[in-house]
Amino acid sequence: MAKKSRISSKSIKSTASKKLKSNLTMENFTILRSMLKKNLQENIKQEFVQPPGTIQIDDVQVEEGINRINKLTQDLCDSIINNGSAILKIPSRSNKNIIYDKTLDLLLLGNKLTSKNLLSLISVIDTTRLMRVLELVYELLSKDIHATKREIFYGDVNLFQDQKNSDASIEDVSTLLKTTRNSTHIVASAKGTAIGRLRIKDKNDIIDLEGLGSGGWTISPMLDNIEVLESDAEFILVLEKDAAMIRISEARWWRKYPCIILTGKGAADMATRMFLKRINKVLNLPTFALMDSDPYGHYIFSVYLRGSKRLSYESPFLATPNMHLLGVLSKDLAEYNIPDNCRIPMNKQDNKRLDEMLNEDFVKNNRRWYEDLRLMKKLKVKAEIQALSAHGFEFLTESYLPNKIESGDWI
Amino acid sequence: MKIFKHKERIFQLADKNMIEGWNAEMPLLFIGYIREKRMSTYPKSVQKDVNAYLDDILENSAIPMLLTAINNEDVEVRKNVAKSIVDVSENNPSMLKIALNHMEKASNDKNKEVANTMKKALKNYQKCLRRLKTAAKRKELSALRKKMDEIDVQFADDKISDSDYIKEQKNYLKLKREIELAEEVD
């Protein structure tokens, strides 16, 4: 843990390396506004073109999900009757089959397949588990209800034995049906929250994200029920941590700067990423992230940006490639005069993750990002978003964020 | 999304394509919500454009969608829309105002379940209307009570006659009784 600065906020402000502007309003955010104007003019609803050599995954409605299960089982039965073989061909989810597409700036699943033979003793347990999950998905879709991954595990504890096994089968079923996991109606408990200038509908309920108190709206994992109704926001701000969310929501920041704020409370779950993707795509708003200045913060940002390797098959529905890293950048430590005692030396694990990040193609492809990580490696220190409060509790909302946005200082 | 602009500000509302994919009763709820809760937050010039847009949705999407669902040959579709309307009538009854004529028609549906469900929704709506009226009367009563306090003082000081005092008191008690009766009915 970083030691709290004992120096008074006034004295630090006076020694800050960068001259900060005060009382900035939306009118001062000309770079942001021209970006928004461009987004709306272009209406970035470019059709997603599946790159060759990758698997196409769809986000489908209940009826189509049921049709796909019916077709799959029918094909399997036909194969058993016609040639006595019962083999399921599932897209491989191994690291070797994960492709980084430079044009789309996304991690996608390649088209290599693995075979699972229902008549083989080696794969009989895996395939039985997979067929059981398929059966449960069919039940969920037929009843138009949702279940958590945990509930699926308890659907047949003797068969699954460990939740790791049912989770793996759930992902296999999604890739087998070539649908998002959301389309199978299996959801993971969500932990993300959102607040700000947005009105949505959850089935027939209208939810105003400005009127839910300081806690905001807990992002629903049942995103197929959610749709955007209205918004007067001009940008989206994604926060790594709940602590920053508390600061911003207490300041009712979105009232002065019309925006939608969300946090995944650490590594973001699927629902949070999917919700961000949805509002970014529907509203065409410039989207920024505020993460800790450490390798893990940058990794969390990369997952929002390009998707995770484990769920690469869903990247087109989970990743937000036009998102920008607003802070806290390594260079901000000096520019915003973060006191030395708020900077934490990097440990072995940080260095390992930092090297991994520096080796990623998508990082090398983004010069400013690569250089900021290189600076972090050179400085050998990290800092949390909360380190900004060494300049006063309101420094984040009144100085740091407005100055960063006004100057267009993002990656 | 349908975009409305005012100087540098932007306001985005669900567009027709999105709306036409919703449940039959949802567009009415959406129109009611925007008019009731959001309209006053928009600048005047945007209000005018949004109103025109909502009128267009009401005429060309919301009412036709509701009519199609209410008149659908499949009784299950009619039952579903009736159930959804009851839900709305329980949570946001005031938003059903624009659908009232169609609900009254559907309360005579040949299917008993549809007709009864729709009657329930209408009853909820009427109840809501009564509550609104009672709330308005309560406000009136509270103002009258203040006035009565002054009259009480004037009466004690012999500044008004017995008959005038009784007349004022009668008016006050009459309104009070009306409110009590309305609340008993609910």
Side-chain angles (χ1 to χ4, degrees), chain B residues 153-161 164:
Chain B
V153 175
Q154 287 170 1
F155 181 61
D157 293 346
D158 287 330
K159 284 182 181 165
I160 55 167
S161 67
D164 282 346

Side-chain angles (χ1 to χ4, degrees), chain B residues 145-160:
Chain B
R145 180 63 257 170
K146 271 186 191 163
K147 194 181 158 194
M148 276 309 291
D149 288 344
E150 286 167 21
I151 292 172
D152 283 344
V153 175
Q154 287 170 1
F155 181 61
D157 293 346
D158 287 330
K159 284 182 181 165
I160 55 167

Side-chain angles (χ1 to χ4, degrees), chain B:
Chain B
M1 297 294 282
K2 175 86 178 166
I3 300 168
F4 299 90
K5 289 179 187 166
H6 174 75
K7 293 179 184 165
E8 291 291 309
R9 301 258 10 237
I10 56 150
F11 305 86
Q12 302 195 54
L13 271 77
D15 63 24
K16 263 190 177 179
N17 276 345
M18 292 165 81
I19 290 168
E20 282 166 7
W22 294 347
N23 289 345
E25 66 286 0
M26 191 61 211
L28 291 176
L29 275 178
F30 171 70
I31 294 166
Y33 178 81
I34 298 292
R35 287 206 162 129
E36 212 171 280
K37 313 264 183 190
R38 300 294 308 150
M39 196 64 87
S40 59
T41 68
Y42 302 152
K44 284 273 176 297
S45 65
V46 173
Q47 280 185 13
K48 199 180 152 201
D49 294 342
V50 171
N51 255 325
Y53 173 61
L54 294 181
D55 283 344
D56 178 36
I57 293 174
L58 182 68
E59 198 182 324
N60 299 311
S61 303
I63 298 293
M65 276 167 76
L66 193 72
L67 282 178
T68 311
I70 286 178
N71 298 323
N72 198 296
E73 276 185 20
D74 186 346
V75 72
E76 289 306 315
V77 174
R78 300 206 305 275
K79 276 183 195 172
N80 282 341
V81 74
K83 274 181 202 161
S84 301
I85 288 177
V86 166
D87 284 344
V88 176
S89 75
E90 280 163 2
N91 301 317
N92 295 300
S94 60
M95 291 187 184
L96 288 175
K97 198 177 169 184
I98 32 184
L100 224 52
N101 287 343
H102 308 287
M103 284 164 64
E104 270 162 10
K105 216 170 160 189
S107 66
N108 297 317
D109 194 283
K110 55 191 173 201
N111 180 283
K112 245 184 176 177
E113 196 181 327
V114 175
N116 288 340
T117 317
M118 212 52 104
K119 274 175 193 157
K120 192 180 168 190
L122 280 167
K123 211 173 155 186
N124 285 340
Y125 177 77
Q126 297 302 342
K127 208 170 162 181
C128 162
L129 270 191
R130 278 201 303 275
R131 277 188 192 152
L132 286 174
K133 272 184 196 165
T134 313
K137 278 185 182 172
R138 275 212 161 278
K139 222 174 168 184
E140 202 184 320
L141 184 75
S142 158
L144 211 55
R145 180 63 257 170
K146 271 186 191 163
K147 194 181 158 194
M148 276 309 291
D149 288 344
E150 286 167 21
I151 292 172
D152 283 344
V153 175
Q154 287 170 1
F155 181 61
D157 293 346
D158 287 330
K159 284 182 181 165
I160 55 167
S161 67
D162 291 6
S163 57
D164 282 346
Y165 180 69
I166 290 169
K167 199 177 145 194
E168 293 289 349
Q169 203 172 39
K170 247 187 185 175
N171 283 341
Y172 171 74
L173 292 173
K174 195 180 155 196
L175 186 62
K176 199 178 171 197
R177 184 67 192 141
E178 268 177 36
I179 293 169
E180 282 166 359
L181 279 174
E183 282 174 347
E184 272 171 32
V185 171
D186 282 341

